[in-house]
Amino acid sequence: MSGAAGLAWGVAGGLGAGSAIALAALFGVWWERKVSARIQMRFGPQQAGPFGLLQTLADTVKLVLKEDILPSRADPGPFLRAPLVVFVPIAVSLLAVPLSAGWAPLDTSVGALFFLAVPSVSVLGVLVGGWASGNTYATIGGLRGAAQMVSYEVPRTLSVLSMVVLAGSMRPVGMMAAWRWWWLPLTAVAFVVYIVSSIAEMNRGPFDIPEAESELVAGYFADYSGIRWAIFMMSEYGAILAASLFGAAVFLGGSHGVPGVAGFAILLTEAIAIVTLVMWVKWTFPRFRSDQLMALAWKVLTPMALVQLAVVGLVAAWL
Amino acid sequence: MAVDIESRTPVEDAEGRTVEELVVNIGPSHPSTHGVCRIIAHIDGEIVTRAEPVIGYLHRGIEKMCENRTYLQIVPLTDRLDYVGSMYANWAYCRAVERLASIRVPERAEYIRVITCELQRIASHMMAIGSSGADTGAFTMFVWAFDVRERVVELFEELCGARLTYSYVRPGGVARDLPDGWTDACRAVVDRLPAKIEEMDRLFFGNTIARGRLKGVGVLSADDAVAWGASGPTARGSGVDWDLRRDDPYSVYPRFDFDIPLGDAGDAYDRGRCRLWEAVESCRIITQALDQIEPGPVHAEGFPRLLAPRQGDAYDRIESARGTLGVFVASDGSTRPYRVKFRSPAFCNLALIGRLAPGHTISDLVVILGSLDPVFGEVDR
Amino acid sequence: MNIEELREHLCSRYPLLCPLFSSEFGDGTLTVEPDDLHRAAGDMKELGFSRLDVVTALDRGETFELVYRLESAEIRTGLSLRCSVPRDQPRISSLFDLWPAADWQEREVYDLFGIEFEGHPDLRRILLPDDWVGHLLRKDYVDDRVVKRPDYI
């Protein structure tokens, strides 16, 4: 693509990803509140709109109108920019996810690597946001977040690598096209490792240690308010959306060869199933402790992913 | 209470280098302090090296206020001590006054007291277990526990109109007789509880993560528990076989058949599970009490409008949900007590936090605090 | 051991203190001199009173009366150790070395009555702020902010 067209495409992609995340957050928060309410014998939101669907919209209006507080002990420069450092990489990574058979907004031959590598930048936002708050809770939360997100990169990447080996391609569109149903039992371990490490990567329960409501109040974003807090929240739901879409596309076969909107619908259904699973896990399990979390990453998930990779390697050689 | 802290204090590490120690000021307003408690935690990385509780944020001078009120006017004050288990403070205070004034309480009133206080134990333990779930991030456990608690609190509401501060137990008996149909409603609630509690046991205490978080955390030895004056499930979790309902029986407790759940490891897990199974035992006691209760008066005959016990003092104690709740009442012969002292179990149990926390992480500090189950209305008085 | 046996036992060990032992309210009550308190408490601990239940005090005008209630799992009765310290010099030895439970309880008595416990490792106010003036539970404590309730009878 030429410079100008590429730029236009990039701006469109950025805006699209941004609004996709905003929409995902709107829906995700509502869905999470409904799912958790069912688990806890409650109803969840039901006043605003049908089934309370507009509740999160009302919350958004509230958040946007809220005062944007800058704590006196905070370092203004990094503090005010940290939310974007978390948000942008996640939005960008969303572009590499195939949305329908044969089509991804950003279709590159190293798409899988792109998808895994780019969100890692958001670790910096967590670290900087925590540190710049000038608050001990936030500092501890930021440090915990950095350690956790860097550690879980390893099993997550290894689990995707199994699929790359099987598909013989690093291009997500190609991986989706190459998917066969018998890969599902073969790569079940990789799928589990992918889901678990993705949950940890996006700091969700039972791995929400950097936020740890009951210990660190809200961890690295304890001092944020209003729209900046909402950006952190949206990044979390964006990460869920990205991880679920990518997981559905790569591990579950995505749109199963169906092109266009129908294919996207199939992919989205699978992704929502994964999102619901992630929420179910969060609302059922207690939170890990940071040392247990590290032990899980290095002693359980990484060896599991390695064994899976070896098995897949043998099968791929035999193919 | 006013302690000057620098958030980063220079200290010497093991190799003689000067490093900065991080001081985290947890509370007084924090989701996991279960009230208004402040813990000044010195941490090295994630490990707590020293934890100093600062209490008194809820001190209302209730013992001083008691000296200025008549004996009956004090009952509503006792509600405000342990606001999760008001019945206990009501009862303990009434027992001390009855002992001082030599009042005999009718049998039916004693039964009603036992039933309400065992219901209160269930409600209080549900709060403790639920919040220890919330402390570890298992928020569903919190909501489930509150669902059970809600059933019990509804019974109280029907009984005396209040959901938290009952003032139901009065010197000489109870405020009023059970409403019509209340015993059936109570039986229905109590019959359903054990199954629910077992479900909660599987949800939380059977969970691998919860075991990992609670086992081996805040280990309290049996000797330490006795020496530091711990009581209730906090001590029984360490295997201290001491429950006033059985070992120094009061009221009509000798007539019931029940077990005292004991832990052996003395960690947060055992303390939590002791509470859970105590709630099941409470159901057993309530069922037996409902079977045995007979009609009769619920308040002592000829009880004076204005009580003026003889000069002297009396101490009485009951087994509350948190442990030994004692009340010391001294009278100078007038219509107001000369001195009232509440021996609050939460106060004595909380003293352990500075001893249990060092060596654990911040996450564990929150768990340990929750496992001691402090209620700050009672700690600060 | 019931209260009578406890009384006999104590009388055989402390003939001088025997007249001071009473059992008026179900608990045994042993009144000792302030100087003897620590020794008597140590003896009680040896006897089997493994728990210190309550430490409290009463303002008796010229003196403060301290009440230590001991408890034992083996001897199924309570024992109150009492002693009086003069108001102008309220000092007593701490029982922290015998029962660590005395830690916060003695701090509370120090806070609310101003009685000093010698040998306590960390004697600071506990319920009231460090800069509070006066001791709340003394009968002569006055605070203008306190609303005086009317006399009833």
Side-chain angles (χ1 to χ4, degrees):
Chain A
M1 261 185 278
S2 71
L7 190 66
W9 182 236
V11 169
L15 288 175
S19 18
I21 289 186
L23 264 176
L26 277 184
F27 173 76
V29 171
W30 174 82
W31 185 241
E32 171 140 42
R33 289 180 66 175
K34 280 292 186 192
V35 169
S36 66
R38 285 293 141 194
I39 292 172
Q40 297 172 347
M41 302 174 286
R42 301 185 284 116
F43 293 109
Q46 47 180 353
Q47 297 296 321
F51 308 105
L53 263 168
L54 299 180
Q55 181 65 48
T56 39
L57 203 63
D59 289 345
T60 313
V61 173
K62 180 202 76 176
L63 281 172
V64 172
L65 294 178
K66 256 176 125 170
E67 186 188 354
D68 184 18
I69 297 168
L70 178 68
S72 56
R73 290 171 79 179
D75 184 353
F79 181 82
L80 296 177
R81 289 173 183 81
L84 282 182
V85 181
V86 176
F87 181 78
V88 170
I90 289 169
V92 170
S93 76
L94 199 59
L95 293 178
V97 179
L99 295 181
S100 180
W103 189 76
L106 184 70
D107 191 6
T108 82
S109 56
V110 288
L113 181 65
F114 183 89
F115 176 80
L116 293 169
V118 170
S120 308
V121 179
S122 63
V123 171
L124 293 175
V126 169
L127 197 56
V128 165
W131 181 262
S133 300
N135 168 328
T136 41
Y137 289 137
T139 307
I140 297 170
L143 294 174
R144 283 181 177 186
Q148 171 177 340
M149 289 160 88
V150 170
S151 297
Y152 275 84
E153 294 284 306
V154 177
R156 191 173 186 222
T157 309
L158 284 173
S159 67
V160 174
L161 203 55
S162 296
M163 302 311 290
V164 171
V165 169
L166 265 183
S169 165
M170 238 198 216
R171 183 190 200 109
V173 173
M175 292 167 79
M176 195 158 87
W179 191 82
R180 298 286 170 274
W181 67 265
W182 54 268
W183 290 11
L184 198 57
L186 180 67
T187 58
V189 173
F191 184 56
V192 169
V193 172
Y194 173 80
I195 293 287
V196 172
S197 44
S198 295
I199 297 176
E201 185 76 19
M202 55 182 112
N203 298 332
R204 278 186 66 82
F207 304 99
D208 54 345
I209 297 164
E211 294 158 25
E213 177 65 35
S214 55
E215 300 150 24
L216 302 181
V217 194
Y220 58 89
F221 57 80
D223 275 357
Y224 284 90
S225 65
I227 190 68
R228 283 176 214 281
W229 178 84
I231 292 175
F232 274 120
M233 228 33 218
M234 263 160 58
S235 322
E236 188 177 316
Y237 282 93
I240 299 173
L241 178 76
S244 308
L245 280 174
F246 188 79
V250 169
F251 288 91
L252 303 179
S255 50
H256 297 281
V258 181
V261 178
F264 179 65
I266 298 173
L267 178 75
L268 198 62
T269 313
E270 288 168 357
I272 288 177
I274 294 178
V275 168
T276 312
L277 178 75
V278 167
M279 287 169 181
W280 186 9
V281 167
K282 170 173 176 151
W283 292 101
T284 313
F285 288 154
R287 184 186 306 121
F288 277 99
R289 201 169 58 210
S290 35
D291 55 319
Q292 295 166 338
L293 173 98
M294 290 299 165
L296 184 73
W298 293 105
K299 293 181 186 163
V300 181
L301 293 179
T302 307
M304 268 168 76
L306 282 171
V307 170
Q308 172 76 74
L309 188 59
V311 171
V312 165
L314 285 175
V315 174
W318 170 70
L319 276 174
Chain B
M1 221 165 85
V3 185
D4 288 324
I5 55 161
E6 278 291 319
S7 68
R8 292 178 181 87
T9 329
V11 288
E12 285 206 348
D13 70 356
E15 288 155 29
R17 291 170 301 192
T18 306
V19 292
E20 284 188 342
E21 189 182 46
L22 196 63
V23 179
V24 186
N25 194 20
I26 299 176
S29 185
H30 183 278
S32 294
T33 51
H34 298 217
V36 275
C37 170
R38 172 172 163 207
I39 296 175
I40 301 170
H42 298 248
I43 59 167
D44 174 16
E46 283 260 337
I47 308 292
V48 176
T49 53
R50 198 157 73 85
E52 192 197 334
V54 181
I55 61 169
Y57 289 95
L58 208 58
H59 181 62
R60 295 145 294 175
I62 282 186
E63 288 173 8
K64 183 76 174 176
M65 288 162 81
C66 289
E67 293 174 11
N68 205 7
R69 274 151 212 259
T70 64
Y71 282 90
L72 211 57
Q73 285 172 335
I74 291 170
V75 174
L77 286 183
T78 63
D79 283 338
R80 274 81 183 161
L81 288 168
D82 178 355
Y83 44 75
V84 188
S86 306
M87 287 287 183
Y88 292 114
N90 287 173
W91 196 10
Y93 167 74
C94 292
R95 281 187 66 82
V97 172
E98 283 154 10
R99 176 170 284 216
L100 190 62
S102 306
I103 299 167
R104 277 188 62 84
V105 179
E107 195 174 272
R108 184 174 170 84
E110 289 287 8
Y111 272 104
I112 294 176
R113 287 175 176 193
V114 167
I115 293 168
T116 51
C117 280
E118 290 305 322
L119 282 173
Q120 182 75 84
R121 195 181 309 276
I122 297 170
S124 174
H125 282 347
M126 286 305 128
M127 176 78 117
I129 296 161
S131 47
S132 70
D135 289 346
T136 50
F139 197 73
T140 299
M141 183 67 179
F142 183 76
V143 180
W144 281 29
F146 262 68
D147 179 58
V148 172
R149 185 182 151 83
E150 180 65 22
R151 307 287 160 256
V152 175
V153 171
E154 274 170 3
L155 283 177
F156 284 145
E157 195 178 359
E158 199 183 333
L159 184 67
C160 56
R163 291 166 60 88
L164 269 181
T165 50
Y166 313 108
S167 298
Y168 181 66
V169 182
R170 306 273 171 89
V174 294
R176 61 185 70 83
D177 205 347
L178 303 175
D180 287 343
W182 192 85
T183 46
D184 296 331
C186 179
R187 217 184 274 273
V189 168
V190 168
D191 284 348
R192 279 185 21 235
L193 273 187
K196 281 206 160 186
I197 287 171
E198 257 169 57
E199 204 177 9
M200 285 164 66
D201 190 35
R202 286 206 309 278
L203 172 74
F204 187 62
F205 292 101
N207 183 294
T208 314
I209 302 176
R211 282 165 180 263
R213 286 298 306 277
L214 300 178
K215 284 211 166 187
V217 170
V219 175
L220 173 67
S221 72
D223 291 342
D224 269 1
V226 172
W228 281 82
S231 52
T234 306
R236 285 195 287 273
S238 306
V240 180
D241 195 3
W242 178 253
D243 188 318
L244 294 176
R245 291 176 292 168
R246 183 198 60 199
D247 295 315
D248 186 11
Y250 51 94
S251 187
V252 288
Y253 275 110
R255 301 183 196 174
F256 306 125
D257 174 34
F258 59 97
D259 297 321
I260 312 286
L262 285 180
D264 45 21
D267 50 14
Y269 185 82
D270 278 15
R271 289 197 279 274
R273 269 197 112 188
C274 267
R275 294 203 173 90
L276 201 63
W277 294 113
E278 263 183 31
V280 177
E281 292 301 321
S282 292
C283 292
R284 279 178 68 192
I285 297 176
I286 296 166
T287 313
Q288 293 172 50
L290 288 173
D291 289 340
Q292 293 176 17
I293 191 166
E294 302 209 345
V298 294
H299 204 268
E301 293 282 326
F303 190 82
R305 288 232 160 232
L306 199 59
L307 198 61
R310 66 198 153 129
Q311 201 171 350
D313 48 43
Y315 176 81
D316 211 322
R317 69 226 208 282
I318 65 169
E319 183 75 24
S320 88
R322 263 153 280 283
T324 306
L325 172 62
V327 179
F328 177 87
V329 181
S331 161
D332 58 355
S334 73
T335 56
R336 297 173 197 185
Y338 188 73
R339 166 99 170 94
V340 180
K341 153 84 186 171
F342 295 97
R343 186 266 183 210
S344 77
F347 180 81
C348 298
N349 293 347
L350 187 66
L352 285 162
I353 185 95
R355 192 175 171 76
L356 295 182
H360 290 294
T361 65
I362 304 180
S363 319
D364 291 336
L365 176 63
V366 167
V367 169
I368 295 170
L369 182 64
S371 74
L372 296 176
D373 187 20
V375 170
F376 283 90
E378 196 184 48
V379 173
D380 296 343
R381 275 157 291 161
Chain C
M1 204 185 298
N2 63 26
I3 200 108
E4 280 311 308
E5 287 164 353
L6 179 68
R7 178 197 182 87
E8 274 168 31
H9 182 90
L10 289 175
C11 286
S12 64
R13 267 181 90 166
Y14 306 100
L16 284 175
L17 287 178
C18 196
L20 298 171
F21 184 86
S22 68
S23 54
E24 198 180 352
F25 289 108
D27 287 349
T29 303
L30 191 63
T31 311
V32 295
E33 289 296 314
D35 293 341
D36 296 334
L37 177 79
H38 194 277
R39 193 176 53 85
D43 287 347
M44 294 307 132
K45 194 185 176 192
E46 266 174 41
L47 198 64
F49 287 98
S50 52
R51 296 155 186 276
L52 176 65
D53 198 18
V54 187
V55 179
T56 188
L58 287 92
D59 184 349
R60 295 288 191 199
E62 290 299 299
T63 57
F64 291 119
E65 185 181 354
L66 278 156
V67 181
Y68 296 81
R69 190 175 182 283
L70 311 178
E71 206 173 56
S72 158
E74 299 90 55
I75 311 163
R76 295 279 162 104
T77 180
L79 179 73
S80 293
L81 267 182
R82 294 184 182 218
C83 73
S84 295
V85 292
R87 191 186 195 88
D88 49 357
Q89 212 183 15
R91 300 175 80 81
I92 190 89
S93 56
S94 168
L95 299 187
F96 177 79
D97 51 337
L98 296 172
W99 294 281
D103 183 358
W104 277 25
Q105 303 231 22
E106 289 184 343
R107 275 178 72 185
E108 187 193 322
V109 173
Y110 166 75
D111 187 355
L112 302 176
F113 285 93
I115 297 169
E116 293 200 15
F117 292 87
E118 288 163 352
H120 190 288
D122 182 26
L123 197 63
R124 289 178 292 129
R125 284 189 184 267
I126 186 164
L127 293 175
L128 298 176
D130 283 345
D131 53 358
W132 193 270
V133 180
H135 299 283
L136 197 69
L137 284 179
R138 287 187 178 189
K139 290 284 180 187
D140 57 2
Y141 179 86
V142 281
D143 192 325
D144 301 337
R145 290 167 295 178
V146 174
V147 180
K148 188 79 182 143
R149 295 176 70 84
D151 277 341
Y152 293 95
I153 285 179

